[in-house]
Amino acid sequence: MEHRSKRDQLNKKLDITERKHVEEALKVSETLYRSLFETVQDGILILDAETGRILDINPFMLDMLGYTREDLLGRRLWEIGAFKDADETRALFGELQAQGYVRYEDKTLKRKDGRSIAVEFVSHVAVINHQKVIQCNIRDITERNFIAEALQKARNELEQRIQERTAQLQEALSEIKIMKEQLEAENIYLRDEVALKGGYGDIIGNSDPIKYVMYRIRQVAPAKTSILLTGETGTGKGIFARLIHRESDRRDKPFVNVNCAGLPANLIESELFGREKGAFTGSMARQIGRFELANNGTIFLDEIGELPMELQAKLLKVIEDGEFERLGSPHSVKVDVRIIASTNRLLEEEIKKGSFRQDLYYRLSVFPITIPPLRDRKEDVRLLIEFFTEKFSRRYKKEIKKIPGRVIKDLENYSWPGNIRELRNIIERAVIVSGGPQLRLAERIADPFDDTVEEGSSKEIAGRQAQGLAELEREHILKTLQEKAWRVEGPNGAARTLGLNPSTLRARMKKLGIRRP
């Protein structure tokens, strides 16, 4: 009995000791928890799991919300201003009770001073001192969100700049592509122009008809007006067109030559106005038209009388409105192009036949210039012979120093139906066959004209063109004389204005039947 009593006493002492150890451990745990609770850099709320009243709140939470402990202790979660919507907060508390764990990545709370802050909200159910509670850990992420928004804004701005720069680069690449196409096209036309210059040379002549043509060219070159060059085949209308371009303020811009008679009928529209990819079968790429290529420059429409009727209307639109559509495109292209046209036909006759538009004719012939045939400027034949002989002697490495008088006489007496082009070919052949220092013709020069109907028509056309030139010359000289009160010589005389020697002017007046009233 005594032994049992001692054992009970020992067990009791052991229970007390163990309880003391447990209590001491609890005190240590509570002290540690309280230390963490007070010093942690997150806000902590301890809520009664049944009522939602705030049982405890750490200092960091008070600093975060701007409240005092007395403001919050004992109050329900939805009764404090930090949680702005009471109904929503009650629903939140019900969710905490039901699930035991709730997490919100980005929730807005309101400080006592009215400023809103963004927080990360995490809660879970716990048992503290035998009481079921809900612990809410709240972290201020306002600055983090600000930094994230700033980074996102910077990223968006960078992407925007990249997109803008990419668009600029694409636009620049597109412009480069267009310029490349234009340069490639210009290169083709430049080769044609160089070849043509090499074939015909500069304008050679000192006769009155050439002086008059040059005078007309100097008058019209600075203007923007359309010009119609008329004259027989081989008179060098293309050379005069280039001269007009060089004398104009467009001299540094493109000069584009279009031979309307040399373009296939099914391709002439796309050649003049361009085409889009897929505009017709076989159109594999976009092509810049010659009008677009000549923008700000000059386009020379050689043999305009050969242009099909269906394209004459489109050409009229370009002249009137300064715009056109590429083949296969609904969009208009605006251009600023000076038009010089030429023809060896009598367009008035073509209008009567219905093969040329009258309105287009009047648009093109704002300033007509007739290039005289070589037979009307016989005094220039010797100059042309000498020019071409020297030119082809250099080309073929010949040492031709003399041109016999009989050769010059034969050539001066020839009627030149092929005009300067024919003369050029004859001299080139002569240089090729000449073996010494003296020019020798390759064949006998004989006038091919006879009384056949076809040749008669050619003579009639040439005669009408010569007559037109004479009438224009007479009208111009008469007008100048009237303006100068019929004074021929002197600084204020008509001869000085016309760029003629007074004796030459008097000879022209006599030939043209001009008499002072």
Side-chain angles (χ1 to χ4, degrees):
M1 189 72 178
E2 183 180 355
H3 177 72
R4 181 182 297 173
S5 175
K6 289 180 178 180
R7 187 178 61 189
D8 291 340
Q9 290 176 359
L10 180 59
N11 289 336
K12 187 175 182 181
K13 288 180 179 179
L14 289 173
D15 290 341
I16 292 172
T17 301
E18 185 177 355
R19 187 167 60 251
K20 286 181 178 180
H21 286 183
V22 171
E23 289 175 353
E24 288 175 359
L26 286 172
K27 286 181 180 179
V28 170
S29 177
E30 287 178 359
T31 300
L32 180 60
Y33 174 78
R34 175 54 60 177
S35 175
L36 293 171
F37 183 80
E38 299 289 341
T39 59
V40 70
Q41 296 299 299
D42 284 345
I44 300 176
L45 281 174
I46 305 297
L47 307 177
D48 186 295
E50 297 297 332
T51 65
R53 292 182 184 278
I54 299 174
L55 299 177
D56 203 354
I57 183 169
N58 73 339
F60 196 82
M61 187 70 194
L62 296 173
D63 289 340
M64 188 189 302
L65 297 179
Y67 287 94
T68 64
R69 184 178 294 276
E70 290 73 21
D71 290 334
L72 301 180
L73 285 178
R75 301 183 67 183
R76 292 181 176 87
L77 191 62
W78 52 87
E79 293 175 345
I80 64 175
F83 294 87
K84 293 182 285 187
D85 192 318
D87 293 335
E88 182 181 335
T89 307
R90 287 193 185 93
L92 168 64
F93 182 68
E95 188 177 356
L96 293 176
Q97 287 179 312
Q99 297 185 14
Y101 176 86
V102 174
R103 179 187 180 96
Y104 296 99
E105 297 287 344
D106 193 348
K107 190 169 184 62
T108 301
L109 297 185
K110 190 175 182 180
R111 285 174 48 87
K112 188 175 182 178
D113 59 11
R115 182 166 60 88
S116 295
I117 59 173
V119 300
E120 184 181 64
F121 187 97
V122 181
S123 67
H124 63 276
V125 176
V127 177
I128 300 178
N129 293 333
H130 308 289
Q131 183 178 2
K132 187 178 180 182
V133 298
I134 296 175
Q135 179 176 321
C136 302
N137 290 64
I138 302 174
R139 177 171 298 173
D140 188 347
I141 60 172
T142 304
E143 185 175 356
R144 187 182 76 186
N145 284 0
F146 175 78
I147 293 173
E149 289 174 0
L151 288 173
Q152 185 61 43
K153 182 179 179 181
R155 188 180 295 110
N156 292 340
E157 290 177 353
L158 179 60
E159 289 177 354
Q160 179 67 23
R161 286 200 295 271
I162 290 173
Q163 291 175 358
E164 291 175 355
R165 185 58 177 162
T166 300
Q168 291 173 355
L169 289 173
Q170 289 175 343
E171 183 177 354
L173 287 172
S174 178
E175 291 178 359
I176 290 172
K177 182 179 179 182
I178 292 173
M179 291 175 64
K180 179 185 176 184
E181 292 174 350
Q182 186 166 349
L183 285 171
E184 289 174 349
E186 283 183 2
N187 188 39
I188 294 171
Y189 300 133
L190 182 60
R191 288 200 300 269
D192 292 343
E193 183 174 353
V194 169
L196 191 55
K197 282 186 177 180
Y200 292 98
D202 295 327
I203 297 171
I204 305 298
N206 197 34
S207 62
D208 288 345
I210 283 298
K211 288 180 180 179
Y212 180 68
V213 169
M214 296 298 291
Y215 174 75
R216 296 275 287 171
I217 287 175
R218 285 193 292 269
Q219 282 183 314
V220 75
K224 186 183 176 181
T225 184
S226 300
I227 300 170
L228 179 63
L229 301 176
T230 60
E232 297 177 13
T233 298
T235 52
K237 294 183 286 294
I239 299 299
F240 286 97
R242 284 174 174 77
L243 176 63
I244 294 169
H245 175 71
R246 289 198 301 270
E247 294 294 319
S248 73
D249 57 2
R250 298 170 180 249
R251 64 181 64 88
D252 297 325
K253 301 301 180 181
F255 177 90
V256 177
N257 177 29
V258 181
N259 186 350
C260 298
L263 293 175
N266 59 333
L267 294 179
I268 189 168
E269 182 175 5
S270 64
E271 287 292 327
L272 286 177
F273 306 111
R275 64 171 183 264
E276 295 293 338
K277 180 179 180 181
F280 53 80
T281 303
S283 176
M284 304 303 294
R286 189 182 68 168
Q287 174 181 306
I288 293 178
R290 304 199 188 187
F291 265 96
E292 194 170 352
L293 180 64
N295 190 30
N296 297 318
T298 304
I299 190 167
F300 175 48
L301 301 176
D302 194 14
E303 303 300 345
I304 189 67
E306 305 292 336
L307 193 67
M309 281 291 289
E310 58 269 18
L311 289 183
Q312 291 180 25
K314 196 164 185 177
L315 176 58
L316 184 65
K317 176 178 172 61
V318 178
I319 297 173
E320 291 178 341
D321 302 333
E323 62 181 35
F324 61 90
E325 293 83 33
R326 293 194 194 103
L327 197 63
S329 172
H331 305 293
S332 294
V333 178
K334 295 196 75 68
V335 290
D336 176 15
V337 177
R338 183 187 197 169
I339 297 176
I340 303 176
S342 77
T343 182
N344 61 356
R345 295 186 178 188
L346 293 174
L347 293 184
E348 297 91 336
E349 298 296 329
E350 301 300 321
I351 292 171
K352 292 177 182 178
K353 295 176 185 177
S355 61
F356 201 85
R357 294 177 63 109
Q358 188 176 38
D359 48 3
L360 177 59
Y361 171 74
Y362 288 127
R363 283 289 186 177
L364 292 173
S365 61
V366 175
F367 199 96
I369 299 176
T370 300
I371 310 301
L374 187 54
R375 61 180 168 275
D376 286 347
R377 39 182 293 213
K378 290 292 185 70
E379 54 264 60
D380 293 333
V381 171
R382 176 186 289 269
L383 296 175
L384 289 165
I385 294 170
E386 293 171 350
F387 173 79
F388 286 127
T389 300
E390 181 181 354
K391 175 185 178 67
F392 291 121
S393 293
R394 289 196 306 269
R395 176 180 296 182
Y396 296 112
K397 296 180 173 53
K398 297 293 184 76
E399 295 291 335
I400 299 177
K401 302 297 184 182
K402 182 180 179 181
I403 305 173
R406 59 180 175 77
V407 171
I408 293 177
K409 184 177 180 181
D410 288 344
L411 296 178
E412 285 179 336
N413 291 332
Y414 184 56
S415 61
W416 296 113
N419 292 293
I420 297 176
R421 184 180 296 131
E422 185 181 9
L423 173 60
R424 170 194 176 278
N425 294 340
I426 287 175
I427 299 301
E428 183 173 9
R429 289 195 298 272
V431 170
I432 292 173
V433 301
S434 297
Q438 182 171 290
L439 184 69
R440 180 169 62 87
L441 295 180
E443 66 277 316
R444 177 177 174 272
I445 302 300
D447 199 321
F449 286 151
D450 56 30
D451 295 330
T452 63
V453 175
E454 182 178 355
E455 290 167 351
S457 298
S458 298
K459 288 183 177 180
E460 180 184 354
I461 292 173
R464 291 182 62 176
Q465 289 174 332
Q467 182 183 1
L469 174 63
E471 288 177 356
L472 287 171
E473 185 180 10
R474 185 181 190 281
E475 178 184 345
H476 182 61
I477 291 175
L478 182 60
K479 181 180 179 182
T480 305
L481 286 167
Q482 291 171 344
E483 290 174 353
K484 299 298 181 180
W486 290 88
R487 181 185 296 274
V488 175
E489 300 186 42
N492 297 320
R496 176 69 63 87
T497 301
L498 292 169
L500 299 174
N501 186 283
S503 60
T504 302
L505 176 56
R506 289 190 178 94
R508 298 304 299 166
M509 291 170 61
K510 183 177 180 180
K511 182 177 179 180
L512 297 170
I514 299 175
R515 295 182 178 83
R516 181 171 182 173

